[in-house]
Amino acid sequence: MNSLATRLSLAFVLVVVLGVASVSILVRREATQGFQSYLESGGMMYAARVAETMGELYRSEGGWQNAQSTLQDQLRGPADRLVLADSSGVVVADSTGALLGRKAEGLEGLSRFPVVVDGKEVGSLYLVSFTPGGVGMGRGRGAMGAGTKEGGGLIGGMAQPRTTTLEAAYLASVDRAILVAALLSAVAATALGLVLSRRITHPLAELSAAAREVASGKLAHRVRVSSTDEVAQVATAFNTMAESLDRNEQARRRMMADIAHELRTPLTVIEGTVDGMLDGVFEFDRGNLESVKEEVALLTKLVADLRTLSLAEAGQLRLEKEAVDPADLARRAVARVEPLAQRKGVVCRLGEVTSGLEIEADPERMGQLLGNLMDNAVRHTAPGGSVALSEVRFGGSLCPSGDEMKRDCVLFTVADTGEGVSAESLPYLFDRFYRADESRSRKSGGSGLGLAIVKQLVEAHGGRVWVESEKGKGSRFMVAIPVVTQPIPAPVPTA
């Protein structure tokens, strides 16, 4: 009784029953009133025709000699009674014979139809017609009978119908038809209500079961969507949410595996070198200690990168923003990577720069992200190639497709002539621990955190980063940072 399907079904049945009952009552009332009006109008036309017939009889015979037999021939059925009085008010014909020869007193309450011959009224015709509601053609008490004894009230014997009339039978059949139609409508509506309630509650039950499955850790579970209504839209949203949770969980597991792998490699080298020195395999000399120190430095950088990335993703990375010259940032980034480029035989140069601009940025973090881009470009460029860093200003109308920034921006571009990236790898370049070439070693390919950090730092500065690349033809990484439109106050020195 507490289920949603049961409550919906009961509510639907109640609405249907009330609706059908209301319609049935109104239809019964209108049918009865309409039928009674029809009977009355039919009786009026019938009585007028009988009066016309009796007038023709009077004209042809010059009197009422055969009025009794002619009047009886005009009866429609046993429920009707016709009374004909002459011009003096004496009854000359009565279909029951009860009032023949008597004064037509007490008939004033009934409908009267004059019998006219050649413009002269020669008599009066009275009609008593029984209907389910009583006497249909009468008016006032006379219609229901002025007395109960024949001869006393003159029409007392006409007050109650002697047989079931055709009209009553017809109305009874109408009542039966309305009742059957109401029952059939109620049954059909109830069945339809059950079907509709199930169509609503069954998907909700599936959705509830799917939510429990996902809550228990089965993130691959999905809800079957078989329609396009609002419930289906909820199911689609649930599937999208479950897919996102599954994807994030897989990314978390990959990240944990990648972190473990990145930490295990230098730790293994350190452990092996130290054990070798303790066992006498390696000598306690400067070379072995420098190897250990190098691995410790790699571990320190990896931990620092992970901390920076986690803080940036959580929105807790603190930026010390100030007015910065983007051209100066570009020069420093090129100078920083120059030693690495020379050792590898790669030409590193500063391209076009714009002077006189300012961006609101943290100079240390901007140097870090530009350094990561330059370092990444040099690592993926073969000896004899080149890497260039340029910086130009462009307006908001020149922003690349998909860029939502409306302010003027400074565009840093790091272009290399290296190996390039395949179209399949481009969407994942800024993911954590992603390497386009899985066979590349950690020392030559990095930890896979550099570009992820670049993306987070750029977004923290209100900018945008994207890449254009083609396998075998080099890459172009572009960073757009908004230009300062108003002077930034100089930082107040702290004591």
Side-chain angles (χ1 to χ4, degrees), residues 53-111:
T53 300
M54 299 308 294
E56 293 176 355
L57 174 67
Y58 185 88
R59 181 184 293 105
S60 62
E61 296 185 351
W64 302 113
Q65 292 83 355
N66 296 314
Q68 179 65 23
S69 60
T70 302
L71 189 63
Q72 288 180 334
D73 292 338
Q74 301 299 316
L75 292 176
R76 295 179 302 181
D80 292 338
R81 181 177 178 181
L82 297 173
V83 177
L84 177 64
D86 60 13
S87 58
S88 62
V90 177
V91 175
V92 295
D94 184 352
S95 58
T96 64
L99 299 178
L100 282 174
R102 302 174 62 179
K103 272 297 222 186
E105 296 177 353
L107 296 179
E108 293 80 5
L110 300 178
S111 297

Side-chain angles (χ1 to χ4, degrees), residues 14-63:
L14 180 60
V15 171
V16 168
V17 169
L18 292 176
V20 170
S22 301
V23 171
S24 299
I25 293 173
L26 292 176
V27 170
R28 175 65 171 80
R29 178 181 176 184
E30 293 298 322
T32 301
Q33 292 179 350
F35 188 64
Q36 288 178 347
S37 298
Y38 167 76
L39 291 179
E40 290 180 2
S41 60
M44 298 287 288
M45 296 175 63
Y46 163 67
R49 288 196 301 270
V50 173
E52 184 178 353
T53 300
M54 299 308 294
E56 293 176 355
L57 174 67
Y58 185 88
R59 181 184 293 105
S60 62
E61 296 185 351

Side-chain angles (χ1 to χ4, degrees), residues 151-173:
L154 298 182
I155 59 171
M158 298 184 291
Q160 298 295 331
R162 295 186 295 271
T163 60
T164 302
T165 64
L166 295 176
E167 292 84 355
Y170 170 77
L171 289 178
S173 67

